[in-house]
Amino acid sequence: MANIYINKLTLKSSIEGLRRKEFSSLELIKSCLKQIEKTEGKINAFVTICKKETLEQAKEADKKIKDGIDLPLLGIPIAVKDNFSTKGIRTTASSRVLDNYIPPFDSTVVAKLYKAGAIILGKTNMDAWAHGSSTETSDYGATKNPWNIKHLPGGSSGGSAAAVAADECIAAIGSETAGSIRQPASWCGVVGLKPTYGRVSRYGVIAMGSSLDSPGPITKTVEDGAIILEVIAGKDPYDATTSPKSVENYSLKITKNLKGLKIGISREYFIKGIDKEVEESVKQAIKKLEKAGAEIVDIKLMDPQYSVDVYTIIQRSEVSSNLARYDGIRFGKDRTEFGEEAKRRIMFGTYALSSGYYDQYYNKASKVRTLIIKDFERAFEKVDVLIAPTSPSLALPVGSTKGAAMFGEIADILVEPSSIAGLAGVNIPIGLSKSRLPIGMQIIGPQFSESLVLSVAREYEQLTQNENWRKEEPNL
Amino acid sequence: MKINVPHVAKLANLALTSAETKKFEKQLEETINYVDSLNEIKTKGIEPTSQVTGLENVLREDIAGSERILSQEEALSNTKSTENGLFKIKGILNEE
């Protein structure tokens, strides 16, 4: 195979290629760096690129491979969202407040990636503090969608999604509070897995909504996502909200016979104003699953509109608390450096938690949260998984978020319910619109159902592997 | 429903310009009106959920393990305002 294109390989193929000595880690890194050189000017997916370090680490990885050392991600270049603390590597959360911050410790996810032999290619751009669904609120310029650079990549993990879509890296890490993995994955045409809350450690991830934040993989295929999940999942003594449930061999469990699988479809998720191509594509995708043996069940779920209310209140409240630590004393710059969106969210959160308003807002939202959780529990008594569009729109044009009071929370209406309930959800690409923008679909399962959700996703991927749109790629 | 933006800004330790105050007054009001639909849901007798894991009493031994400690140098590494190995901050109690 032509060495110059090895950056386009999937994670699975890269691992196999390195093991079979078809190419070296150094060649793989160089191929990604070459692509970055070619496309970064157009898409701005990275805040920091670790060029020198990765070349050194690649040489070390090649030595290990030569010595027969076997690690799950040995020699593989991975891009990491810039809200994951990386020791000695600048970490900004795409905010000027942390412009000069260099963490003295690694987040657990990063430590696990290193332990698995991975090479951190760089830190990807995001909405500042993860406050958004566009990557347009970054203090380092918006990331552009590789499929059409006049459009946004989604967010807040837009940099990670764009870097994967543009083959600037082999795989990436993102985080989701409500939509921040699934939605940019949908807009960029890649796979984005939001694991169950508590499946992956939040230690060292710059906190947004502590009862919601879920780190997860953004990859080219479902199997790639499963491989990464196996590496990063697990109980962490540094994060008391991580689950003691054992980590499954997700990459081995992802074959499934769809016969008899009950898929729930909720009319409430095909909301008023949804893009017609998105709606049609998702409905067609559901028909394909039915043809393959799945049973489609009509399910009535709570109107996702209420989830927007709950999420706006709970998330912004937790944000106001989490961002109180940034006072420019021990690290970072002072609070005047906060961008507009951050200030807006801090203000609303402070208000919702303040004396006289706490009951009406935060407490009320927390009660409705209980109802949303119960709503899903009832649904999963009748079906195995739920399927819905991930985003009600295609990737929106650059500039779409300007002046909006709550762009992110409204854009993420279809992913907020499952985030509020801490469920597992994955976005898979299912096609391209007439305007050549990616269309995504999400599969949601109960807590800790990653194996099931990934297998259904993989089955769909296999069923549709010869569809024409899969031959297309971004023209960068 | 008019929010007292200066009061909230003080609670949030944010210094806002008068232009920002005006803008946020409008936008916060918009958001408050938006989430008002939550009142359509009856929650009498419903317990609030603060976390979805169901985990309780996740404890550890009260030992300062070396792997979780930053050295003094590491802890001070991100600021220039230090003195004698301590963070130096603005005075709170000033001798009058």
Side-chain angles (χ1 to χ4, degrees):
Chain A
M1 94 185 52
N3 277 359
I4 48 170
Y5 299 129
I6 51 181
N7 61 295
K8 293 191 176 184
L9 291 174
T10 63
L11 174 60
K12 179 91 198 279
S13 301
S14 304
I15 293 169
E16 283 174 348
L18 285 172
R19 287 210 177 113
R20 290 202 285 254
K21 305 198 167 53
E22 284 168 15
F23 45 82
S24 65
S25 172
L26 187 61
E27 285 169 322
L28 191 54
I29 299 285
K30 281 186 173 168
S31 182
C32 289
L33 288 174
K34 193 145 183 250
Q35 181 69 1
I36 287 173
E37 220 171 294
K38 179 172 170 228
T39 56
E40 253 305 273
K42 296 183 196 150
I43 65 172
N44 190 36
F46 284 88
V47 176
T48 299
I49 298 167
C50 306
K51 187 167 175 183
K52 202 173 82 170
E53 296 88 335
T54 54
L55 292 170
E56 283 163 20
Q57 287 168 25
K59 292 183 189 134
E60 280 166 35
D62 282 327
K63 245 189 245 131
K64 289 199 173 108
I65 293 171
K66 192 157 170 271
D67 291 340
I69 293 177
D70 190 16
L71 295 169
L73 300 174
L74 185 55
I76 303 286
I78 309 239
V80 174
K81 187 175 179 184
D82 208 15
N83 59 346
F84 285 79
S85 300
T86 40
K87 184 172 178 172
I89 302 173
R90 184 176 171 237
T91 298
T92 68
S94 286
S95 170
R96 261 195 318 265
V97 172
L98 294 180
D99 184 53
N100 56 1
Y101 175 62
I102 300 178
F105 69 104
D106 282 321
S107 50
T108 294
V109 166
V110 168
K112 286 185 170 207
L113 289 171
Y114 280 139
K115 191 153 175 251
I119 294 171
I120 309 293
L121 193 55
K123 309 299 291 299
T124 55
N125 200 17
M126 49 187 283
D127 281 293
W129 306 104
H131 298 169
S133 308
S134 62
T135 310
E136 199 160 43
T137 67
S138 166
D139 282 344
Y140 299 101
T143 294
K144 310 293 168 59
N145 194 315
W147 290 89
N148 183 331
I149 60 173
K150 293 206 180 78
H151 287 249
L152 296 164
S156 60
S157 310
S160 281
V164 172
D167 290 310
E168 287 183 335
C169 59
I170 298 301
I173 300 292
S175 70
E176 174 160 338
T177 306
S180 289
I181 288 177
R182 285 176 283 173
Q183 188 250 32
S186 177
W187 284 16
C188 290
V190 294
V191 176
L193 171 69
K194 179 215 159 294
T196 304
Y197 175 85
R199 179 74 287 188
V200 181
S201 172
R202 292 176 300 110
Y203 179 73
V205 182
I206 292 170
M208 178 181 170
S210 304
S211 76
L212 298 151
D213 294 344
S214 304
I218 295 177
T219 52
K220 301 179 191 183
T221 66
V222 175
E223 189 174 14
D224 288 358
I227 294 170
I228 297 210
L229 182 63
E230 254 175 61
V231 171
I232 64 176
K235 181 167 165 68
D236 182 17
Y238 295 178
D239 175 357
T241 61
T242 50
S243 170
K245 278 189 158 60
S246 59
V247 177
E248 300 167 51
N249 287 352
Y250 298 111
S251 58
L252 295 177
K253 282 185 158 198
I254 52 168
T255 54
K256 179 157 190 75
N257 188 337
L258 292 176
K259 287 197 172 46
L261 178 79
K262 290 202 174 79
I263 297 178
I265 309 294
S266 165
R267 250 174 266 249
E268 285 78 16
Y269 281 57
F270 290 88
I271 60 172
K272 194 173 117 186
I274 191 173
D275 181 282
K276 287 300 164 202
E277 278 184 274
V278 170
E279 181 173 6
E280 191 49 39
S281 283
V282 173
K283 288 189 168 158
Q284 287 302 319
I286 292 166
K287 284 208 179 81
K288 289 169 196 165
L289 288 164
E290 192 173 28
K291 243 179 115 190
E295 187 189 330
I296 309 300
V297 180
D298 254 315
I299 280 276
K300 179 147 177 53
L301 287 176
M302 206 164 148
D303 189 337
Q305 178 53 50
Y306 297 114
S307 288
V308 179
D309 303 337
V310 169
Y311 175 68
T312 301
I313 293 169
I314 291 181
Q315 168 253 136
R316 290 188 180 204
S317 298
E318 294 181 3
V319 159
S320 73
S321 173
N322 280 322
L323 267 56
R325 73 193 67 176
Y326 301 102
D327 51 19
I329 293 175
R330 290 160 299 153
F331 46 77
K333 311 215 173 128
D334 68 51
R335 295 170 82 72
T336 58
E337 298 282 350
F338 274 130
E340 201 181 293
E341 184 66 25
K343 283 187 187 165
R344 199 166 20 239
R345 295 199 185 199
I346 292 168
M347 292 284 291
F348 183 86
T350 304
Y351 175 76
L353 290 172
S354 64
S355 175
Y357 297 105
Y358 176 92
D359 249 323
Q360 188 182 348
Y361 292 106
Y362 189 81
N363 209 22
K364 175 81 181 180
S366 300
K367 289 179 182 176
V368 180
R369 185 173 196 176
T370 304
L371 294 175
I372 292 168
I373 292 169
K374 287 194 201 296
D375 194 43
F376 279 115
E377 280 172 3
R378 267 193 304 270
F380 288 124
E381 280 167 10
K382 303 197 190 95
V383 299
D384 300 307
V385 297
L386 296 163
I387 289 189
T390 302
S391 166
S393 74
L394 299 168
L396 293 178
V398 171
S400 295
T401 69
K402 299 286 180 237
M406 41 188 303
F407 174 87
E409 286 101 341
I410 294 177
D412 284 331
I413 182 172
L414 301 180
V415 284
E416 279 160 13
S418 46
S419 288
I420 286 164
L423 306 178
V426 66
N427 171 82
I428 49 169
I430 61 171
L432 289 174
S433 70
K434 285 194 201 77
S435 52
R436 265 189 112 237
L437 289 171
I439 300 173
M441 175 174 92
Q442 60 172 326
I443 300 161
I444 299 166
Q447 288 178 302
F448 303 106
S449 66
E450 282 80 7
S451 284
L452 175 61
V453 155
L454 287 169
S455 356
V456 176
R458 165 102 154 133
E459 273 315 294
Y460 185 84
E461 212 180 42
Q462 298 283 85
L463 279 172
T464 58
Q465 62 187 337
N466 292 320
E467 287 185 352
N468 280 327
W469 64 272
R470 288 198 188 274
K471 300 185 182 87
E472 304 273 346
E473 44 177 48
N475 278 337
L476 284 168
Chain B
M1 173 83 262
K2 197 158 187 259
I3 306 183
N4 184 347
V5 170
H7 170 66
V8 176
K10 185 153 180 264
L11 289 176
N13 194 11
L14 288 173
L16 301 181
T17 64
S18 58
E20 279 176 320
T21 303
K22 256 208 200 78
K23 180 161 63 175
F24 286 148
E25 218 165 66
K26 190 164 164 288
Q27 290 180 331
L28 291 180
E29 206 177 305
E30 202 183 308
T31 309
I32 287 179
N33 289 336
Y34 192 97
V35 301
D36 201 49
S37 54
L38 209 51
N39 292 316
E40 291 161 19
I41 309 246
K42 292 188 180 39
T43 53
K44 188 157 173 220
I46 303 292
E47 282 300 301
T49 292
S50 24
Q51 54 101 350
V52 300
T53 66
L55 295 170
E56 290 179 348
N57 297 331
V58 179
L59 306 172
R60 64 175 175 90
E61 286 305 309
D62 188 14
I63 297 170
S66 61
E67 70 284 354
R68 339 175 43 118
I69 294 180
L70 296 178
S71 68
Q72 193 165 8
E73 200 185 312
E74 283 172 326
L76 295 168
S77 62
N78 276 289
T79 179
K80 289 195 180 74
S81 181
T82 67
E83 194 170 290
N84 279 336
L86 306 170
F87 290 108
K88 188 163 74 174
I89 66 172
K90 273 207 286 257
I92 304 168
L93 307 167
N94 289 315
E95 237 76 84
E96 302 271 18

